[in-house]
Amino acid sequence: AQSVTQPDIHITVSEGASLELRCNYSYGATPYLFWYVQSPGQGLQLLLKYFSGDTLVQGIKGFEAEFKRSQSSFNLRKPSVHWSDAAEYFCAVAARETDKLIFGTGTRLQVFP
Amino acid sequence: NAGVMQNPRHLVRRRGQEARLRCSPMKGHSHVYWYRQLPEEGLKFMVYLQKENIIDESGMPKERFSAEFPKEGPSILRIQQVVRGDSAAYFCASHHPTVQETQYFGPGTRLLVL
């Protein structure tokens, strides 16, 4: 069965520092992988996605993620965090057959000035 | 092009009442998903619908919950005889029939059962 693990429940960084949010998945074939961001009381916004091809994908708001098949990982990175990046971040995997999304439990990012 | 619309945004019900949550997908999207987010948890898949057709309801509780997506009008998630454990945020997502991989989410309906 597909599953997604986000090992870090809560991360705190200083504004301007670099960021890496971890995501590991379990899936039998090459999955569709996603990162979504959720601000308090809001819906989910797609940051980036990986389907195939180049394993380093660029997203919105300066985020990028790298697919590493050998490690079953899809970690999200940003070189310099802004205070407005404080939010909850969800990694998700889609099964090709039905495309329902399987989400991780999320990582809450806090940014200090 | 309006995004995915959900209403109401907030819904308060007493135990035993019915809750109806509505979702209007993006224009041109004929596939709708419903997800539930319990407090302090990630989203869990509930049901996947196309117009007039339930494709996958493997995430739906067996009782009290139902969903439909009629030919005309929004998709409806219906919860009968609500209990406190139904309190959660319910999100709808839609995708285009030929761009299946990308789902666009609505703002959610936050249900509170008293």
Side-chain angles (χ1 to χ4, degrees):
Chain A
Q2 303 94 25
S3 66
V4 177
T5 302
Q6 293 182 249
D8 304 306
I9 297 173
H10 190 192
I11 285 183
T12 302
V13 300
S14 298
E15 191 170 20
S18 63
L19 173 70
E20 183 169 26
L21 302 183
R22 296 183 291 166
C23 172
N24 293 96
Y25 67 89
S26 173
Y27 186 67
T30 301
Y32 292 176
L33 292 161
F34 305 80
W35 275 99
Y36 283 87
V37 61
Q38 184 182 32
S39 297
Q42 302 298 313
L44 276 73
Q45 182 181 24
L46 179 66
L47 285 176
L48 48 78
K49 59 190 178 186
Y50 172 78
F51 299 149
S52 64
D54 192 347
T55 56
L56 183 64
V57 293
Q58 302 296 320
I60 62 171
K61 303 184 180 186
F63 285 93
E64 66 178 27
E66 186 171 12
F67 170 59
K68 292 185 177 180
R69 184 190 303 276
S70 61
Q71 299 177 19
S72 297
S73 70
F74 189 56
N75 294 349
L76 181 71
R77 300 194 294 251
K78 187 170 184 177
S80 178
V81 171
H82 188 263
W83 64 266
S84 60
D85 293 325
E88 185 105 25
Y89 291 79
F90 292 98
C91 181
V93 61
R96 288 177 181 258
E97 298 79 19
T98 64
D99 298 322
K100 64 185 179 186
L101 291 168
I102 309 297
F103 284 90
T105 51
T107 297
R108 182 162 297 173
L109 175 65
Q110 195 168 10
V111 181
F112 281 111
Chain B
N1 186 15
V4 178
M5 310 285 285
Q6 288 189 251
N7 66 83
R9 293 290 304 276
H10 299 273
L11 183 62
V12 180
R13 285 288 178 265
R14 298 193 180 278
R15 281 177 295 171
Q17 291 184 319
E18 178 180 288
R20 279 183 181 242
L21 288 62
R22 288 176 290 277
C23 168
S24 297
M26 290 179 69
K27 186 177 180 181
H29 288 195
S30 58
H31 296 229
V32 164
Y33 299 78
W34 285 93
Y35 295 86
R36 177 167 64 175
Q37 184 180 32
L38 294 170
E40 306 301 319
E41 293 188 16
L43 282 75
K44 303 286 187 194
F45 167 77
M46 299 182 75
V47 62
Y48 168 33
L49 310 106
Q50 296 177 13
K51 287 280 188 181
E52 299 183 283
N53 211 7
I54 296 175
I55 306 301
D56 182 353
E57 57 182 346
S58 59
M60 287 278 272
K62 297 298 181 205
E63 298 177 349
R64 302 188 297 108
F65 285 72
S66 63
E68 62 176 4
F69 190 13
K71 186 177 180 180
E72 301 291 337
S75 175
I76 306 287
L77 179 67
R78 182 181 178 207
I79 312 173
Q80 295 178 291
Q81 299 175 314
V82 296
V83 301
R84 288 208 174 122
D86 296 332
S87 295
Y90 292 82
F91 291 95
C92 167
S94 72
H95 73 64
H96 191 277
T98 61
V99 187
Q100 292 185 351
E101 302 87 357
T102 302
Q103 294 180 28
Y104 297 90
F105 281 80
T109 294
R110 278 137 185 95
L111 172 66
L112 176 62
V113 179
L114 301 177

